[in-house]
Each structure stands twice: as C-alpha cells, then as structure tokens.
Amino acid sequence: MSKEFVYWTIIEIITERYGIEKKKITPEMQLKDQLGADSLDIIEFVMLLEDRFKVIISDQSVKSIATVEDLVDCVMDNIKASNQSTTSQNVNH
C-alpha cells in the first residue's frame, strides 16, 4: 500500500468528518488547532484508521499524532510492521 493512497484515504475521511474541502487540507495541518479535533476525536479517528487499514496503532503512537502527516506516517509504520511480521511468520513456517 502506498503512502499516497494512505494520505488520500485520510483526506477523504477528514473531508467526510469535518466538512473541510480537500484542497484546504495539507500534511502540516494541525489536528487540534486547525481541525478543532480534541483527544477523543483523535482516538476515534485512529480507531477508524485501524479498521480501514487493518492495523493496530499503539496508545503511545496516538499520543504523538499532531498533524495529518503524523497520521499518515503512523499508519504507514504500522502497515510496514504488520507486513514484516507476516513475512517473518511465513519464513518460519
């Protein structure tokens, strides 16, 4: 899965949830300051991303999410970790 795909999927979700035009959303956009998302919103958003991308994002990772790009990077890191885990399991069997 490409980083670009993850980015545009997150943009779609932000557009649906917050009614912000796609062209106004940037990787640097602050979730709390510019979107008005509180901690609960971010947790719900992360849970939605976990379902959408079939990943598990740790509580520690959630605490470090401040921007749209942080969300993308977090999802990508978890996709890579999941793929590596699957690959190593396949090698061991």
Side-chain angles (χ1 to χ4, degrees), residues 46-87:
V46 167
M47 290 171 61
L48 193 117
L49 295 177
E50 287 177 328
D51 287 344
R52 181 79 53 103
F53 294 108
K54 308 298 183 223
V55 296
I56 297 171
I57 300 172
S58 72
D59 291 343
Q60 190 62 33
S61 295
V62 173
K63 291 177 186 175
S64 66
I65 295 171
T67 66
V68 171
E69 187 167 24
D70 291 341
L71 279 171
V72 174
D73 290 342
C74 189
V75 169
M76 289 304 297
D77 289 346
N78 282 282
I79 289 171
K80 289 175 189 172
S82 176
N83 288 342
Q84 288 174 349
S85 174
T86 302
T87 301

Side-chain angles (χ1 to χ4, degrees), residues 8-27:
W8 285 109
T9 301
I10 289 172
I11 296 303
E12 286 288 331
I13 295 168
I14 291 172
T15 299
E16 290 170 14
R17 288 190 73 142
Y18 296 97
I20 297 173
E21 294 178 54
K22 290 179 190 177
K23 65 183 177 183
K24 292 184 178 181
I25 302 169
T26 65

